[in-house]
Amino acid sequence: MSPDQSDASSPSSSSGGSPTPPTHISLREWVIANSFTIRVEAPDPAAQEERIKRQLRQEIVMLWKRVWLGIYRLEGLHGLTHSYCLRRLYIGAGLEIDLWESPMEQGTANTREYGWNSGVYYLKLYNNVSIATLGAVVDLMTEYGTQVAAVDRAYELLERHQRDAYVDAASGIRFRAPEPNLQVEWSRLSAALRDNLWQFQLRTGVMNQLIFDEAVRLHRQNPTRALRGWFVRERAFPNGRR
């Protein structure tokens, strides 16, 4: 066998199969020289934007649900209301029923004159609204959620002052007189909560209108995409329940 034939059949030959490291360079140099080039695709801006929007929409649903369950309903969309529970505790504390005003129902009722888009119940998002708008909704719902603590304080105040009941021959079941200054303390707390909820309901109504206006404007600029919207409550309670 000639030297040329011997070289052609040597293990260092690169003909056929995987390349074999030659003996005249180091293994490290050979690995570097034969490494595959990894192509890193540039991120898709549209995909990145949609991912951020999806995360913001999920956060909005979570924050909305905290507001709804912490202030208005104990469960679901149509379950027992906090207003009803507080009224029961109000009576149990011996306070004057004729002076009862629900801070939740009053705050909600005050927004009805502003139309269909008023209040947290009617918060609606659209598929094409901007990241900035979704971020503004997150901020609003976060602020709105601070009122959950005020509702908790209302419960604590009334639960702490529950009175014993007795049967009155003329008027039936009655509760013993409330502790001094409780009516004043409750009225102050209730009025502050009612005013705050009214303001947040109005702000949510304004936000609803801004969202709708932006969605319509963007749809006119790009009418090929359908204008789709959904109430946040539908995502929070797909079946009307928890």
Side-chain angles (χ1 to χ4, degrees):
M1 180 182 298
S2 67
D4 292 340
Q5 291 175 324
S6 176
D7 290 341
S9 61
S10 66
S12 62
S13 174
S14 60
S15 60
S18 301
T20 305
T23 58
H24 64 278
I25 62 173
S26 68
L27 179 61
R28 179 176 180 276
E29 292 173 325
W30 179 85
V31 169
I32 293 174
N34 288 274
S35 295
F36 292 102
T37 301
I38 300 176
R39 179 177 297 176
V40 179
E41 297 290 344
D44 181 4
Q48 281 188 321
E49 180 180 0
E50 184 55 38
R51 182 166 58 253
I52 294 172
K53 285 184 176 182
R54 184 168 58 251
Q55 292 171 347
L56 289 172
R57 287 192 288 261
Q58 291 172 349
E59 187 172 2
I60 289 169
V61 171
M62 178 188 68
L63 292 169
W64 185 96
K65 194 170 184 179
R66 168 174 163 75
V67 168
W68 185 254
L69 294 179
I71 298 174
Y72 297 104
R73 300 276 179 173
L74 272 72
E75 61 177 359
L77 287 175
H78 309 291
L80 199 63
T81 65
H82 286 288
S83 177
Y84 174 83
C85 295
L86 287 173
R87 184 176 184 274
R88 301 274 296 191
L89 290 171
Y90 178 93
I91 295 172
L95 297 174
E96 183 58 51
I97 189 59
D98 292 339
L99 299 178
W100 163 258
E101 280 187 312
S102 169
M104 294 82 173
E105 292 178 357
Q106 186 68 21
T108 304
N110 285 338
T111 64
R112 289 174 185 162
E113 62 185 284
Y114 291 88
W116 63 269
N117 67 337
S118 297
V120 68
Y121 183 81
Y122 297 100
L123 182 60
K124 190 173 186 179
L125 300 180
Y126 293 83
N127 59 320
N128 62 344
V129 294
S130 65
I131 290 176
T133 297
L134 293 174
V137 178
V138 168
D139 292 341
L140 176 58
M141 289 296 101
T142 300
E143 286 187 64
Y144 207 145
T146 61
Q147 298 307 301
V148 174
V151 175
D152 291 341
R153 288 194 296 272
Y155 272 105
E156 292 169 3
L157 175 64
L158 296 178
E159 288 171 350
R160 193 169 64 246
H161 293 90
Q162 291 298 289
R163 312 300 290 171
D164 293 332
Y166 66 95
V167 178
D168 182 81
S171 55
I173 297 178
R174 303 284 293 177
F175 290 89
R176 302 195 184 281
E179 296 184 14
N181 299 322
L182 178 58
Q183 186 74 59
V184 174
E185 187 176 357
W186 165 258
S187 297
R188 186 184 302 115
L189 187 155
S190 178
L193 178 57
R194 180 170 59 252
D195 291 345
N196 288 339
L197 293 182
W198 184 15
Q199 292 298 321
F200 277 114
Q201 287 287 74
L202 293 177
R203 289 175 61 186
T204 306
V206 172
M207 179 63 72
N208 259 336
Q209 189 63 54
L210 293 175
I211 292 171
F212 178 75
D213 291 344
E214 179 183 322
V216 171
R217 183 177 67 254
L218 293 175
H219 177 65
R220 288 172 179 168
Q221 295 173 1
N222 185 15
T224 58
R225 295 188 62 186
L227 181 62
R228 294 193 302 272
W230 44 273
F231 289 108
V232 176
R233 65 176 185 263
E234 296 171 348
R235 300 291 176 89
F237 302 105
N239 300 316
R241 305 175 65 181
R242 279 186 187 274

